[in-house]
Amino acid sequence: MSIRELIELSAAEALRRITAGEISAAELFDAYAAVPDELNAYLWRAEPGAADGNGAGAGAEGPLAGLPLAVKDIFCTEGIATTAGSRILEGYVPPYTATSVQRVTDAGARILGKTNMDEFAMGSSNENSAFGPVLNPWDKARVPGGSSGGSAAAVAAGLAPWALGTDTGGSIRQPAALCGIVGLKPTYGAISRYGMIAFASSLDQCGPLTRTVTDAALLLRELQGRDDRDSTSVGIEGGVELPSREDLRGLRFGVPRELGPEAEGIEAGVREVFERTLRRIEELGGELDECELPHSRHGISAYYVIAPAEASANLARYDGVRYGMRDPDARDLTGMYERTRGRGFGAEVKRRIMLGTYALSSGYYEAYYGQAQRVRTKIAEDFRAAFERFDFLVTPTAPTVAFELGSKTDDPLAMYLNDYCTVPVSLAGIPAISIPGGLAQPDGGGPELPVGVQVISPAFTESKLLDAAYALEQAIGFDARPPGFGGGEA
Amino acid sequence: MQSELSGILEHVDRIQSLDLSEVEPTSHVVALENVMRPDEPRPSLPRERALEPAPDPYEGAFRVPSPNA
Amino acid sequence: MSANLDGYEAVIGLEIHVQLRTRTKMFCGCELSFGDDPNVHTCPVCLAHPGSLPTLNEQAVRYGIQIGLALGCEIAPRSIFHRKNYFYPDLPKAYQISQYDIPLARNGRLGDVRIHRVHLEEDAAKLIHVGESGRIHGSDASLVDFNRGGTPLVEIVTEPDLRDATAAREWLQLLRSTIKAIGASDVNMEEGSLRCDANVSIRPAGSQELGTKTELKNMNSFRFLERGIQAELERQVALVRAGEPIEQETLHFDPRTGTLTPLRSKEYAHDYRYFPEPDLVPLAPTQEMLEEARAALPELPAQRLERYQSELGIPEAQAKLLAYDGELGDYFEAAVGAGTEASATGIANWVTGDLTARLREAAGEDGEVHAADSRVTPQAIAELVAMVEAKQVTAQAGREVLAKLVVEGGSPAEIVEREGLASISDSGELEGIVAAAIDSDPDAAEKVREGNMKAIGPLVGYVMRETKGRADGGEVTRLIRKQLGLD
């Protein structure tokens, strides 16, 4: 098979062929390793021929049979530099590997490279990386979304069959939507966070970015599970079933008014694709109705208090004492802290650390952090109430298609508002998947770009979620590839 | 930076208007309790590995400017 | 050391940190260090590498619950951990995982002091100031050793119920022996497994309001604690009498010079921005956990004190000495249970009196020797006491026997035999010596006959010398008087 043919295979399809002896895992690995990365998707890449040397035992054994995998540079990988997209960790080589990565490499996966990301996972466009932005393979003048922009772009552009990412407020789902691929954020606690560089501890989750829903299920199956090094991990009881549903008969889908097509800021093209998807759900036999998540309109406010607050504490360890960058010109201890962090962190990270510190400070804690955590309780309650009437909720993943590089960097709040469909789900800790719904033009014209549809389900119901998403995916039949696929022109 | 932060705070301040006095703040997302580890030793890092990433290792320790300097 | 506080009353509270005797650290599986080379007990967790997460040590929790129960506290049905945020090189995460407003245990009592709270937290690493030899860019350097970082700690905070420095020392000794009895810690102040800070203020005697308090830190022995508190009380009284205000500050007591100096504390005016630790889940001790912890508690010093006084009739001062020192109490009990005729009060007397004094002498400059470590077995001391009580030897002879036991060990009966220390029970022999005494000093004899009892001294002395103290003093006096025709 040619490189092009190899990299067009979904992971499941590749697995089938490897198992059947038609192709080898090594040639698949080398094909991917050879694709030129014109998107700045990777911060580090394995050489072709490196399949057997990195991150796993000898031989292509196990359920993942040697399949290559891209890993967001937020996961610690022993012996491989890990930066979290930040200057402050430039050159840092972890002495250990994240449990999630270890699980998949123990299952046979091979690491293709570490993907670029918004610094410390703070961003929705991958423009906050200290190592340059990632470009969207559908239009290189546009963003791929973030913070797992590198992973999403790599999967969409044929630089990897699938990738690991992390999602705190939408950082898997939104880039998946903007790049036309599948992205799943599992229930909080489904996958171990040990070794996953922390941004917001009560929100961060590892998840797969893939070409198909089946691939997402395959990867999730290996990732999930309780880890005794992560006290907040529980795994998914009963494991993960591979999806097979052919229709949506007997399933009830709710469309939250606050996050639906009439919500503020949704582009016309996104609305259209979304509504078409709703029709498809009905065609498949699903029942549709409107519902309310009254407190979800406060999701962004609550999120942008809680996440920065936790981040301000999680990022305090980057002080130049034990690893990472230390400013060489510091004359005293305070100077060392200030100069190291002043030079090592980018603007968005500093902004959030300041916000977070403020939200936790004496006299403000109750009004900010305390109040935000109450809003969070209400948001979770809203979802629970909705799930008494519905099996799933469905929303657009993001309000717009991929926007132009630099178009929102001057207005952080506008950037934050990208997340308002994804953030309430994160606050509630429940699972959601984004699948491509179709293509649409941005408001004001331009190329046709992917639109993602988000399906949400109750905690720990990933198998059912994947099943329904699969049926919908099959019916939608999205098979477009970006012009930048395989390193070609975009 | 200042004006950006003010803008964000203004948006975030919206939650102040909500009356949530009867609501419990979420402090833990998973409904778990008593997750503990047995008091059994696990291998520590060999010292060289622990000091490898250090910006200023010295005599087996991490050197820093003195807090009293 | 009673406080002459010039009409003012001392108000003292203690804040104690105890390092637990677990095998591993509070939040990771690294072993605890005992003077090992720096940084040999570290891992990504206690070095706070990116992506690392804490996991709670179940034995630390057990010890925490036991300490809470031993201090008569209510164990919280649900408690959580908090992050206490500040920057310092000995704090790798730049936050300490501790407990804030929902601690493990509250509202207890030990002796006369109420316990405000008991909670779990992790210790910081060790900072060694290198000074001159470590000049970098012209400034001094420090070295950080993370072996200690993450050691499990229990923090105990009392209400300000103590009223003088001596009481503070004694109470701390009681706390120490209580925790030692549980086995939760070595509670050694010199080694740092028991650390005590004191909050000190004064107020006019009889007032209910609290004055400004200062904090005394880093007192690493019981004596220094007592002296430091006393010095601070005196300093505050002097200030108040001079009409000066008392600054709320943290002070260090230098025992060599007896002076108090303000510490430029890393914690002054600090906002720790506490928030619940999201990486750990709540602790909700089950009935089982509580019962198991309670059942594993040995008899505690406060209980012993009560028992020694009410059941054994030991006077309070001696009972305290025996009850508050777990090993001494065990020694005492072994002696009482040794199957001799000795009375418990007698044994208590000898153990807390002569034995302790002799052992202290023998230890000399080097400090304490514990009875349990000495050559005097509980059996031996009990036998000795029995012999004295049965008047087989005089008390004085008994002390000679004790001196020998301290040096060589062995059995009191053998020593008595060997040294010929048995009381003279043969009154014929004694009568003869008494007669010789009277003959040797006719002047004294005459004075006694005339009614001057003070003059009996030399006669008794003669007999005691001749008998090498083996005669019972009362019996000797009786015989002298009889031979002089007085009774």
Side-chain angles (χ1 to χ4, degrees):
Chain A
M1 286 176 85
S2 69
I3 288 186
R4 175 84 189 201
E5 286 169 317
L6 283 168
I7 67 175
E8 281 181 355
L9 297 172
S10 71
E13 184 54 31
L15 190 58
R16 198 190 61 72
R17 291 186 195 227
I18 291 171
T19 313
E22 291 166 25
I23 62 173
S24 78
E27 76 179 285
L28 186 66
F29 187 98
D30 289 350
Y32 276 108
V35 175
D37 176 14
E38 290 166 1
L39 308 171
N40 199 24
Y42 282 110
L43 294 175
W44 172 85
R45 265 179 115 172
E47 296 291 311
D52 278 332
N54 61 60
E61 268 140 39
L64 298 183
L67 284 171
L69 171 76
V71 174
K72 183 176 180 179
D73 207 25
I74 201 172
F75 293 94
C76 286
T77 40
E78 188 179 334
I80 302 174
T82 302
T83 67
S86 180
R87 188 77 56 203
I88 217 170
L89 282 178
E90 199 172 7
Y92 168 68
V93 179
Y96 76 113
T97 295
T99 300
S100 49
V101 174
Q102 193 64 53
R103 290 229 164 118
V104 292
T105 54
D106 284 348
R110 297 289 182 276
I111 300 176
L112 270 171
K114 305 298 290 297
T115 58
N116 201 346
M117 52 180 283
D118 277 305
E119 189 180 359
F120 286 107
M122 300 184 192
S124 318
S125 66
N126 221 130
E127 292 172 289
N128 293 329
S129 168
F131 307 106
V134 175
L135 311 179
N136 192 318
W138 293 83
D139 177 354
K140 284 184 183 170
R142 292 174 185 266
V143 304
S147 59
S148 309
S151 286
V155 173
L159 288 158
W162 54 8
L164 291 187
T166 61
D167 190 311
T168 305
S171 292
I172 285 175
R173 293 163 285 158
Q174 184 254 21
L178 268 50
C179 289
I181 59 165
V182 173
L184 169 72
K185 182 200 84 69
T187 312
Y188 182 88
I191 301 177
S192 168
R193 288 182 299 119
Y194 185 72
M196 209 170 92
I197 298 177
F199 157 26
S201 315
S202 74
L203 294 158
D204 294 342
Q205 266 298 282
C206 163
L209 290 101
T210 61
R211 313 243 183 94
T212 68
V213 174
T214 302
D215 285 357
L218 266 172
L219 200 45
L220 180 65
R221 176 192 268 183
E222 303 309 322
L223 287 166
Q224 69 85 23
R226 193 178 179 268
D227 179 14
D228 62 11
R229 292 185 192 267
D230 174 0
S231 304
T232 61
S233 72
V234 277
I236 299 170
E237 207 183 300
V240 177
E241 305 267 319
L242 293 186
S244 57
R245 230 180 207 280
E246 291 176 347
D247 59 47
L248 298 172
R249 273 203 289 267
L251 296 175
R252 303 158 298 164
F253 289 79
V255 182
R257 175 143 29 97
E258 298 80 0
L259 307 179
E262 301 311 312
E264 213 184 294
I266 302 236
E267 279 182 338
V270 170
R271 188 178 305 134
E272 203 190 298
V273 170
F274 182 69
E275 279 168 349
R276 233 187 306 139
T277 309
L278 294 181
R279 300 292 79 75
R280 253 192 240 286
I281 288 174
E282 287 180 313
E283 282 161 24
L284 288 168
E287 282 168 46
L288 271 182
D289 202 354
E290 204 182 56
C291 74
E292 276 182 21
L293 298 172
H295 297 85
S296 61
R297 67 171 68 89
H298 300 293
I300 294 286
S301 301
Y303 177 82
Y304 280 99
V305 168
I306 295 168
E310 292 178 6
S312 71
N314 286 328
L315 269 63
R317 65 189 60 193
Y318 304 108
D319 55 11
V321 173
R322 293 147 284 118
Y323 50 74
M325 195 193 115
R326 179 194 294 194
D327 188 280
D329 298 327
R331 295 256 170 282
D332 57 23
L333 187 67
T334 308
M336 183 186 85
Y337 288 148
E338 287 176 355
R339 296 178 71 99
T340 298
R341 294 165 66 82
R343 287 180 48 186
F345 287 141
E348 183 58 37
V349 168
K350 286 179 184 162
R351 199 168 8 248
R352 296 200 196 189
I353 290 175
M354 280 191 267
L355 256 177
T357 305
Y358 182 67
L360 292 174
S361 56
S362 174
Y364 295 96
Y365 178 96
E366 268 313 307
Y368 285 100
Y369 191 77
Q371 188 73 341
Q373 293 284 32
R374 288 189 182 86
V375 170
R376 184 179 191 171
T377 302
K378 293 306 279 182
I379 290 176
E381 275 174 23
D382 287 352
F383 276 108
R384 270 197 295 277
F387 285 128
E388 281 170 19
R389 287 176 55 208
F390 299 100
D391 300 297
F392 305 98
L393 303 183
V394 58
T395 79
T397 305
T400 69
V401 295
F403 44 91
E404 285 169 340
L405 285 159
S407 61
K408 297 194 187 185
T409 46
D410 287 341
D411 188 353
L413 190 56
M415 190 69 86
Y416 296 167
L417 291 170
N418 279 320
D419 297 333
Y420 80 82
C421 294
T422 50
V423 149
V425 176
S426 306
L427 289 168
I430 54 181
I433 191 169
S434 178
I435 62 173
L439 296 170
Q441 282 183 305
D443 282 354
E448 291 221 297
L449 298 163
V451 174
V453 173
Q454 175 179 236
V455 185
I456 309 165
S457 73
F460 300 110
T461 59
E462 279 82 351
S463 292
K464 291 190 183 146
L465 176 64
L466 288 159
D467 222 11
Y470 173 80
L472 190 53
E473 172 197 53
Q474 297 304 301
I476 292 171
F478 182 89
D479 59 4
R481 289 200 198 281
F485 189 86
E489 288 307 305
Chain B
M1 177 71 79
Q2 180 90 327
S3 62
E4 288 157 349
L5 279 174
S6 311
I8 296 164
L9 277 173
E10 248 180 70
H11 182 93
V12 153
D13 268 336
R14 288 190 196 175
I15 61 177
Q16 303 312 319
S17 59
L18 299 170
D19 177 14
L20 297 172
S21 44
E22 302 299 305
V23 182
E24 275 302 301
T26 300
S27 67
H28 294 90
V29 181
V30 269
L32 290 172
E33 283 175 345
N34 298 335
V35 176
M36 295 185 281
R37 158 183 65 86
D39 187 23
E40 296 292 333
R42 278 191 161 133
S44 293
L45 285 173
R47 183 159 73 187
E48 320 79 60
R49 305 259 338 257
L51 286 168
E52 225 177 294
D56 189 12
Y58 182 77
E59 293 189 353
F62 297 81
R63 189 162 50 178
V64 294
S66 170
N68 300 325
Chain C
M1 206 183 288
S2 71
N4 178 7
L5 294 184
D6 202 22
Y8 288 94
E9 174 178 73
V11 178
I12 304 161
L14 298 179
E15 190 177 302
I16 299 114
H17 287 89
V18 169
Q19 277 184 344
L20 297 179
R21 269 185 77 214
T22 52
R23 293 179 67 193
T24 64
K25 296 186 177 184
M26 191 68 176
F27 297 117
C28 69
C30 288
E31 286 183 88
L32 299 192
S33 168
F34 298 97
D36 296 321
D37 284 343
N39 293 302
V40 293
H41 297 295
T42 69
C43 74
V45 177
C46 56
L47 287 174
H49 273 248
S52 59
L53 295 172
T55 51
L56 184 58
N57 183 328
E58 89 183 340
Q59 184 59 31
V61 172
R62 191 174 293 122
Y63 281 147
I65 293 174
Q66 286 185 313
I67 290 173
L69 292 172
L71 299 182
C73 294
E74 296 156 15
I75 306 292
R78 185 176 172 279
S79 70
I80 65 173
F81 291 91
H82 269 76
R83 292 188 184 178
K84 178 180 181 181
N85 301 278
Y86 63 95
F87 283 91
Y88 208 69
D90 67 2
L91 197 64
K93 294 186 293 296
Y95 56 86
Q96 178 199 34
I97 300 179
S98 177
Q99 293 188 294
Y100 181 52
D101 54 359
I102 314 178
L104 178 67
R106 267 201 271 232
N107 299 335
R109 179 176 215 99
L110 181 68
D112 297 326
V113 177
R114 291 169 300 160
I115 305 291
H116 177 57
R117 54 182 282 149
V118 175
H119 76 250
L120 293 164
E121 62 184 30
E122 53 176 344
D123 208 351
K126 202 156 57 163
L127 209 51
I128 313 156
H129 294 288
V130 177
E132 291 288 339
S133 58
R135 298 219 153 243
I136 311 171
H137 303 299
S139 65
D140 288 342
S142 293
L143 299 179
V144 195
D145 170 12
F146 289 94
N147 283 347
R148 193 184 78 173
T151 299
L153 294 180
V154 161
E155 179 176 321
I156 299 162
V157 181
T158 75
E159 299 289 0
D161 291 346
L162 292 159
R163 293 286 170 267
D164 67 66
T166 303
R169 176 183 51 77
E170 285 180 353
W171 186 85
L172 187 62
Q173 282 169 329
L174 171 59
L175 177 70
R176 178 183 180 273
S177 54
T178 303
I179 294 176
K180 193 132 203 231
I182 296 170
S185 170
D186 292 333
V187 268
N188 182 321
M189 276 184 100
E190 283 80 9
E191 287 175 0
S193 48
L194 172 65
R195 313 202 284 253
C196 186
D197 301 332
N199 291 315
V200 179
S201 68
I202 59 173
R203 63 186 175 196
S207 161
Q208 290 304 310
E209 290 183 11
L210 292 171
T212 306
K213 67 179 178 196
T214 59
E215 190 185 6
L216 296 185
K217 284 185 99 71
N218 304 333
M219 289 169 293
N220 56 15
S221 82
F222 289 101
R223 274 204 343 263
F224 297 161
L225 177 86
E226 185 172 358
R227 287 177 52 205
I229 293 175
Q230 182 63 22
E232 175 55 12
L233 287 168
E234 289 170 2
R235 186 189 76 94
Q236 288 194 13
V237 169
L239 279 176
V240 168
R241 286 184 61 204
E244 307 223 7
I246 293 168
E247 301 281 335
Q248 181 171 357
E249 56 189 342
T250 302
L251 299 161
H252 169 70
F253 176 69
D254 184 342
R256 287 167 307 162
T257 59
T259 51
L260 294 150
T261 29
L263 272 181
R264 212 204 60 160
S265 167
K266 66 191 178 189
E267 303 165 4
Y268 67 87
H270 220 285
D271 176 7
Y272 293 116
R273 299 190 300 281
Y274 284 100
F275 69 99
E277 171 58 80
D279 291 333
L280 293 172
V281 299
L283 201 49
T286 59
Q287 265 310 106
E288 246 182 82
M289 282 163 74
L290 293 174
E291 271 158 26
E292 192 216 9
R294 204 189 299 274
L297 287 176
E299 187 188 32
L300 297 172
Q303 294 163 318
R304 263 195 176 168
L305 176 63
E306 170 60 31
R307 182 161 66 83
Y308 289 171
Q309 286 182 276
S310 61
E311 284 179 27
L312 298 180
I314 315 282
E316 186 183 359
Q318 289 179 7
K320 268 190 177 171
L321 288 170
L322 293 170
Y324 287 11
D325 180 339
E327 283 143 358
L328 195 62
D330 291 341
Y331 181 91
F332 165 71
E333 303 233 8
V336 169
T340 69
E341 297 289 318
S343 69
T345 46
I347 294 175
N349 225 358
W350 276 80
V351 169
T352 60
D354 286 285
L355 176 61
T356 298
R358 287 253 91 115
L359 290 176
R360 201 172 283 146
E361 258 171 42
E365 287 300 308
D366 292 342
E368 308 155 31
V369 173
H370 298 289
D373 299 333
S374 75
R375 293 204 157 92
V376 186
T377 65
Q379 181 78 32
I381 194 84
E383 282 174 11
L384 178 59
V385 174
M387 288 174 80
V388 171
E389 286 180 344
K391 294 197 193 294
Q392 288 165 7
V393 291
T394 63
Q396 188 184 338
R399 282 182 213 106
E400 285 180 46
V401 174
L402 183 59
K404 292 261 185 291
L405 285 171
V406 167
V407 169
E408 33 179 275
S411 131
E414 276 172 21
I415 293 172
V416 166
E417 168 95 30
R418 196 181 71 211
E419 304 286 324
L421 293 170
S423 280
I424 297 180
S425 48
D426 179 349
S427 51
E429 194 192 337
L430 197 54
E431 296 248 19
I433 300 174
V434 166
I438 291 171
D439 285 344
S440 78
D441 194 345
D443 284 338
E446 190 54 38
K447 288 198 178 98
V448 173
R449 256 192 222 104
E450 284 165 6
N452 181 357
M453 285 318 291
K454 285 198 183 121
I456 207 172
L459 299 176
V460 174
Y462 181 102
V463 175
M464 297 311 268
R465 273 194 305 279
E466 283 300 309
T467 60
K468 296 196 178 63
R470 290 178 300 136
D472 177 64
E475 179 68 8
V476 167
T477 305
R478 188 185 70 77
L479 286 174
I480 292 173
R481 288 174 66 91
K482 184 183 123 193
Q483 289 194 16
L484 293 174
L486 289 173
D487 294 324

